[in-house]
Amino acid sequence: MSFFCIVALMLVLSFFEIDVAFADEPVFKYDYVSEIVAVDFYPSGAKFTFKYKPRENDFEFAIPGAFDADSVRLVDAKNSNANIQARSVTRDSWIPDYLRELNSQVEAHSKKVQELNYEKEALDQTISFLEDTKPKDSDAGGLLNFIKESQVLRQETNNRLLAVNNELNSERKILKVLESERNSRLPARNDKFVLITGQAKAEFLFEAFTSNADWDAKYTLDLDSKSGDIKAQMFAQISQCTGLDYDGKIILHTKTPDERIVEPKILPLKASFQPKVERTYGAASAPMVERRRMLKMKTNAAADYFAAPEEAEEAEEDYDVEDMMRVLGSLEGTPEHRMTESLSDRAIELFAKLTGDGREANFEIHANEINLKSEPEILLIPEQRRYAWIIANMDVMNNTRLIPGQAELRVDGNPSGKIVLSENSLSKREMPFGYIEQITCERNLMTETVSSSTFFSNNEGRTSGYVIKITNGSNQDRKITVKDRLPIPTNDKITLEVKSINPAEKSRDKDNILTWQLDVKAGESVEISVDYSLKYPSNETLQFNGR
């Protein structure tokens, strides 16, 4: 029975760990040693300012591939007598230090999955071999021993295969989660780097731009439904995916600098007669060809006018290193938060710690102080929504200019919704803070009757109206504002007659918007009925706009 010894040996060998040989990765000979001095964040992208001190006059170093090589330029060329060149180069995939441990786990589980796959293939081959093998002994004793040994081996193989499949499925799930986490935190373009070469006699500053960074303004507005006070907080949500961690000064800008600005110019507008064109059929005549030529010339002229002018050569400027470092925030005495405003930008300065893996970090901003006071109002508009709004009516127009962003709304500390705030959102007298599901309304039309024209009149009368049912499902008595409307005749031949409004409205404006203020007890319902009629010529059909 030497066959079974061979099969058993194959099975035993399959249980041992299989070393997987991985190809050696190319060696990356550079370290990202440039010191980050400051970072300017824009709505899309960021400008990093680096400091580098060369050991020799001729230098060569690298920054991550997340930066745009074309954006690299000196900041203080006059003081360092430096010149630099930058180009993008392919490298082996970069795993930053903060991902080393996670990447090791990915590689370990990847190796385990591969080993289990090899073992599974060996077990499948063993089972297939057992199925295809037939006994050579013809005597009954030999046949019986063959059956017994093959059954034992088949059972052991199946049991091991079942365990391997279970372990393999588990390892694949773990590997998928780990790979997803690692890949989400990898630096942008981690298979590239920017090689910077040149000459310099002293330490110098340079800057580089990356599109793999951004920031957004976020707000929380918490309305106290009793006092009307609104607690406002502003946050900066910042992220960058360069692979470089940073702890220091950052500046948040509200506007990205324009890359190429077109010179403002207005050309004289000349009026003349259009050349007469001879009407022809078939091939284009000479006048038609001329007209097309003129049209092409005008199109090209317009394109030339709107094209960006050639970039002017940058004028050399004298820089003072101490002033530059003060601007970049390396000197003491800089306030924690500061907002400055110019005609083209608003900037917030703060100190922050950012990871280079693209994870969003939130920082509360104290530079833009927002103080709000309001009168809370519960508002029902039956034609628009069944539920009531809670509205903050500002006592005084607020002139605080906001950085546009999304705001999380809260009422008495509880989330009530989200809203996008524009620059002048706080100048509005009314700000919605969400809906109140406990306070509802129903608007039902009255039975409509139409009276036809008579011998004495050709006017058709339409009697209409509606009933609004307001229900206070909350556990407190509430003062509720209700708004609705009556039609506005836009023709002298249409006449509106209001028959009854019960209870009477508090106000009715020029647009026939009706406003009621009702005191509704907890758990109770009240009704408003509005009955009116419209008269108009019988040969006309009414049309209602504004729905």
Side-chain angles (χ1 to χ4, degrees):
M1 291 295 179
S2 59
F3 158 71
F4 291 106
C5 294
I6 295 173
V7 173
L9 181 60
M10 293 174 57
L11 182 60
V12 170
L13 290 175
S14 69
F15 293 158
F16 288 105
E17 290 187 359
I18 302 174
D19 291 332
V20 181
F22 292 94
D24 292 335
E25 294 182 346
V27 177
F28 179 69
K29 66 178 182 179
Y30 302 99
D31 291 324
Y32 296 140
V33 295
S34 305
E35 179 186 349
I36 304 173
V37 177
V39 184
D40 289 75
F41 278 88
Y42 301 96
S44 180
K47 180 186 69 177
F48 282 60
T49 302
F50 296 90
K51 180 172 63 175
Y52 182 73
K53 185 175 183 179
R55 296 180 180 178
E56 299 178 356
N57 185 51
D58 294 330
F59 59 81
E60 183 180 71
F61 65 97
I63 59 175
F67 292 94
D68 184 0
D70 294 334
S71 70
V72 176
R73 63 180 182 180
L74 288 168
V75 175
D76 59 340
K78 279 299 184 68
N79 285 295
S80 63
N81 291 319
N83 68 81
I84 61 175
Q85 302 84 38
R87 59 189 176 93
S88 180
V89 182
T90 301
R91 63 159 293 177
D92 51 299
S93 294
W94 175 40
I95 304 296
D97 290 341
Y98 61 79
L99 285 180
R100 296 285 184 189
E101 183 178 350
L102 179 57
N103 189 64
S104 297
Q105 295 179 31
V106 170
E107 291 178 346
H109 285 277
S110 178
K111 181 179 179 181
K112 185 65 175 177
V113 167
Q114 197 166 6
E115 291 173 352
L116 291 170
N117 275 323
Y118 287 151
E119 185 175 353
K120 180 179 181 299
E121 290 177 4
L123 293 171
D124 287 335
Q125 289 176 359
T126 301
I127 293 173
S128 177
F129 194 55
L130 286 172
E131 291 175 347
D132 294 340
T133 303
K134 295 182 173 55
K136 294 182 179 180
D137 295 334
S138 58
D139 61 287
L143 181 61
L144 184 60
N145 288 334
F146 176 88
I147 293 174
K148 288 181 178 179
E149 291 182 10
S150 55
Q151 283 179 340
V152 171
L153 187 57
R154 179 64 181 265
Q155 184 175 0
E156 290 176 352
T157 306
N158 281 334
N159 288 341
R160 179 56 188 165
L161 182 60
L162 179 61
V164 167
N165 281 329
N166 289 337
E167 188 177 1
L168 183 59
N169 290 334
S170 176
E171 286 291 330
R172 283 173 175 167
K173 291 179 181 178
I174 295 173
L175 179 61
K176 185 177 180 180
V177 172
L178 292 175
E179 283 183 330
S180 177
E181 172 68 13
R182 181 198 62 182
N183 294 342
S184 68
R185 297 175 59 190
L186 281 173
R189 298 198 297 273
N190 68 319
D191 60 341
K192 303 283 184 183
F193 72 97
V194 177
L195 180 63
I196 301 176
T197 59
Q199 300 82 34
K201 295 180 179 179
E203 180 181 274
F204 62 88
L205 299 175
F206 70 95
E207 61 186 34
F209 185 84
T210 177
S211 59
N212 302 284
D214 56 30
W215 84 279
D216 291 303
K218 303 287 183 181
Y219 300 88
T220 60
L221 302 177
D222 191 353
L223 172 66
D224 188 321
S225 62
K226 294 182 179 179
S227 67
D229 292 336
I230 299 175
K231 182 182 178 181
Q233 292 174 289
M234 178 184 173
F235 297 88
Q237 192 174 69
I238 312 170
S239 66
Q240 56 102 3
C241 194
T242 62
L244 301 178
D245 294 341
Y246 174 64
D247 186 1
K249 180 179 178 179
I250 64 175
I251 302 178
L252 307 176
H253 299 268
T254 59
K255 182 180 180 297
T256 302
D258 295 307
E259 290 295 322
R260 304 184 71 179
I261 298 176
V262 178
E263 179 185 358
K265 183 188 297 184
I266 185 168
L267 299 177
L269 183 63
K270 300 178 180 179
S272 62
F273 291 112
Q274 183 177 355
K276 292 183 171 56
V277 179
E278 181 179 347
R279 190 179 299 275
T280 61
Y281 300 92
S285 63
M288 181 62 72
V289 172
E290 179 63 18
R291 183 181 179 188
R292 290 177 179 170
R293 187 185 69 82
M294 292 178 62
L295 179 60
K296 184 176 181 180
M297 289 176 60
K298 291 179 180 179
T299 304
N300 291 339
D304 291 339
Y305 172 70
F306 286 107
E310 293 294 326
E311 291 184 354
E313 295 184 1
E314 294 185 7
E316 294 187 354
E317 298 181 14
D318 291 332
Y319 292 91
D320 183 271
V321 174
E322 186 175 340
D323 287 343
M324 181 59 64
M325 299 304 288
R326 183 180 293 108
V327 171
L328 296 177
S330 61
L331 299 182
E332 297 181 356
T334 305
E336 182 182 359
H337 290 175
R338 185 176 65 182
M339 177 181 284
T340 57
E341 184 169 349
S342 66
L343 288 175
S344 61
D345 187 23
R346 275 180 286 170
I348 300 173
E349 300 177 16
L350 69 153
F351 288 87
K353 186 175 183 179
L354 301 173
T355 60
D357 56 3
R359 286 183 293 181
E360 291 182 337
N362 289 286
F363 302 92
E364 186 173 359
I365 304 298
H366 306 290
N368 194 19
E369 187 175 356
I370 306 172
N371 297 312
L372 300 175
K373 179 73 176 176
S374 71
E375 183 69 30
E377 179 184 22
I378 297 174
L379 174 64
L380 281 167
I381 303 180
E383 279 194 292
Q384 294 185 3
R385 194 175 183 89
R386 180 170 177 259
Y387 301 122
W389 277 269
I390 181 164
I391 304 292
N393 288 308
M394 305 298 178
D395 292 342
V396 181
M397 297 287 280
N398 193 299
N399 294 322
T400 302
R401 292 178 59 212
L402 295 175
I403 296 173
Q406 189 177 77
E408 177 185 339
L409 301 175
R410 298 176 183 175
V411 177
D412 300 328
N414 299 311
S416 60
K418 294 181 179 180
I419 192 172
V420 176
L421 296 179
S422 64
E423 188 170 289
N424 298 312
S425 289
L426 298 184
S427 64
K428 299 177 181 178
R429 289 196 176 275
E430 296 181 349
M431 179 179 290
F433 265 77
Y435 306 108
I436 307 172
E437 294 189 359
Q438 300 95 325
I439 299 176
T440 60
C441 63
E442 295 179 11
R443 187 180 191 273
N444 298 310
L445 295 177
M446 293 180 179
T447 303
E448 189 175 73
T449 59
V450 178
S451 59
S452 303
S453 59
T454 64
F455 176 79
F456 300 100
S457 172
N458 67 344
N459 277 4
E460 180 175 349
R462 178 187 295 268
T463 300
S464 186
Y466 51 84
V467 176
I468 303 172
K469 182 180 179 181
I470 299 100
T471 301
N472 178 11
S474 69
N475 57 4
Q476 296 182 27
D477 298 349
R478 302 288 184 182
K479 183 181 291 292
I480 300 173
T481 301
V482 183
K483 289 183 179 290
D484 211 286
R485 59 185 178 175
L486 292 169
I488 302 175
T490 58
N491 191 294
D492 293 340
K493 297 179 180 179
I494 303 174
T495 304
L496 169 68
E497 179 186 354
V498 179
K499 297 183 176 181
S500 66
I501 298 178
N502 187 30
E505 72 277 16
K506 180 181 179 181
S507 64
R508 173 178 171 184
D509 64 15
K510 59 183 181 59
D511 294 322
N512 273 353
I513 304 298
L514 306 175
T515 302
W516 293 266
Q517 283 194 342
L518 307 174
D519 292 317
V520 185
K521 294 183 178 179
E524 288 192 352
S525 298
V526 297
E527 288 188 351
I528 298 172
S529 63
V530 179
D531 190 8
Y532 66 91
S533 66
L534 291 170
K535 293 183 180 180
Y536 57 95
S538 58
N539 60 345
E540 301 285 352
T541 301
L542 280 183
Q543 174 179 286
F544 295 95
N545 297 318
R547 288 182 174 175

